[in-house]
Amino acid sequence: MDVAVLIVVAGLFAVVSGVNDGGALLATGLKLPSVRPATGILVLVVLVAVVPLVTHQVAVTFTTRLASFQAPGGKIAMTVAVISALAVVTALSMKGLPTSLTLAVVGGLTGAGLGWGLPVSLGSVVLVLAFGMAAPFAGGLLGWLLVRVLLITTSADGLRRWHQVGFLLQSLAYAANDGQKMLAVFMIVLGFSGAPLPYTSLVAVLFGLGTMYGLPRAGRTLGRELIASRPPHGVAAELAAGTAVIACAAVGMPVSMTQAIAGGLIGAGVAQGGGRVRWYATGKIVAAWLLTLPAGALLGAGLAALVKGIASVELS
């Protein structure tokens, strides 16, 4: 498969990551003016470009610990995995079920690895799943605790300052964890094992473009559909999600920032009474999460086996 096609797929994946993830990172604080959207997008772009230069453990997990995509055929299998992840996320979104692109990628990578016949570490897959399931619960518990503290101890000015801290924390966490799935695709496609600044910068710019497009939709989903949100809920969710995700990054475990943020918002809402949470919308999101990984794995395995079969026939 031509490298140019793989690069286009990797670039599209970075844009879709911005649409799906970047908007969610900004949406929780839209009711506070202390971090304006343009400033927030700039901060995200810079951190997504720079943080992988310091640590890219999660990108290595995506490329080597789930399956060995540096083996022969790994580039094609990675491309199949990305296409499968994008197809699953698009299909669920069209059904009104916003979901986690990270879950779709983990499923797509596992399925494509198995379908192509690459070495797949099922133990690593199970470990990643365990961390992925724990992240929204950790975000919810921290959100429940933090919103109580904020409401009791923090003035309006203090809340704005905590919003700035929370946004920076979750942006750092995203760049160190969830965002590195974009870098992982470029690492396999272009055949490097580190995180050169030109490539991280390209990823960051494409991510920023997607974020600008995806912000309005994410703002509706997280700010209005999930809970009847007030500024303290958003700040608590930022602090909670940032803490949970950066802790997972420290051990190289990829988790979904959007799941952690949703968990933080639900926890913050429950702290003031379950009636503030829109449980029907919450149920739809959880259902999408449960469907995403197995759907990505099945599609990835099927497509990888099909592509490999076609390639074998052409070579014979």
Side-chain angles (χ1 to χ4, degrees), residues 138-253:
L141 181 60
L142 288 170
W144 179 86
L145 176 65
L146 287 168
V147 78
R148 289 171 174 266
V149 174
L150 290 172
L151 288 170
I152 294 171
T153 64
T154 307
S155 64
D157 287 339
L159 192 64
R160 284 191 287 270
R161 288 193 291 272
W162 276 114
H163 171 41
Q164 293 170 341
V165 172
F167 177 76
L168 181 60
L169 176 64
Q170 73 168 9
S171 299
L172 278 168
Y174 181 83
N177 193 319
D178 197 5
Q180 294 196 10
K181 61 181 178 284
M182 299 176 286
L183 175 63
V185 179
F186 276 93
M187 286 170 67
I188 293 298
V189 169
L190 299 175
F192 58 89
S193 57
L197 182 60
Y199 297 113
T200 61
S201 299
L202 174 60
V203 167
V205 169
L206 294 172
F207 174 80
L209 292 174
T211 299
M212 287 189 287
Y213 179 81
L215 179 58
R217 187 192 68 177
R220 289 193 299 272
T221 300
L222 293 178
R224 294 197 293 271
E225 293 180 13
L226 195 58
I227 71 168
S229 177
R230 292 174 52 209
H233 300 124
V235 175
E238 288 174 337
L239 292 166
T243 301
V245 172
I246 209 165
C248 294
V251 292
M253 286 293 107

Side-chain angles (χ1 to χ4, degrees), residues 9-266:
V9 171
L12 175 62
F13 182 63
V15 174
V16 174
S17 295
V19 174
N20 198 73
D21 300 342
L25 289 165
L26 289 162
T28 51
L30 287 176
K31 295 185 178 181
L32 283 168
S34 46
V35 178
R36 298 189 180 280
T39 303
I41 292 172
L42 178 61
V43 169
L44 275 170
V45 167
V46 170
L47 291 176
V48 167
V50 172
V51 169
L53 304 178
V54 179
T55 175
H56 52 276
Q57 289 186 72
V58 174
V60 172
T61 297
F62 278 119
T63 57
T64 64
R65 292 182 66 178
L66 298 177
S68 181
F69 287 96
Q70 294 174 335
K75 290 183 179 181
I76 300 176
M78 173 65 84
T79 305
V80 169
V82 171
I83 291 172
S84 301
L86 292 176
V88 168
V89 169
T90 300
L92 289 173
S93 295
M94 290 176 64
K95 295 290 186 180
L97 298 170
T99 189
S100 162
L101 187 54
T102 298
L103 278 179
V105 170
V106 171
L109 291 175
T110 304
L114 290 171
W116 196 267
L118 299 176
V120 174
S121 172
L122 294 181
S124 294
V125 173
V126 170
L127 186 61
V128 167
L129 286 179
F131 273 83
M133 292 174 63
F137 287 101
L141 181 60
L142 288 170
W144 179 86
L145 176 65
L146 287 168
V147 78
R148 289 171 174 266
V149 174
L150 290 172
L151 288 170
I152 294 171
T153 64
T154 307
S155 64
D157 287 339
L159 192 64
R160 284 191 287 270
R161 288 193 291 272
W162 276 114
H163 171 41
Q164 293 170 341
V165 172
F167 177 76
L168 181 60
L169 176 64
Q170 73 168 9
S171 299
L172 278 168
Y174 181 83
N177 193 319
D178 197 5
Q180 294 196 10
K181 61 181 178 284
M182 299 176 286
L183 175 63
V185 179
F186 276 93
M187 286 170 67
I188 293 298
V189 169
L190 299 175
F192 58 89
S193 57
L197 182 60
Y199 297 113
T200 61
S201 299
L202 174 60
V203 167
V205 169
L206 294 172
F207 174 80
L209 292 174
T211 299
M212 287 189 287
Y213 179 81
L215 179 58
R217 187 192 68 177
R220 289 193 299 272
T221 300
L222 293 178
R224 294 197 293 271
E225 293 180 13
L226 195 58
I227 71 168
S229 177
R230 292 174 52 209
H233 300 124
V235 175
E238 288 174 337
L239 292 166
T243 301
V245 172
I246 209 165
C248 294
V251 292
M253 286 293 107
V255 297
S256 170
M257 177 62 80
T258 55
Q259 286 183 290
I261 291 172
L265 282 171
I266 292 169

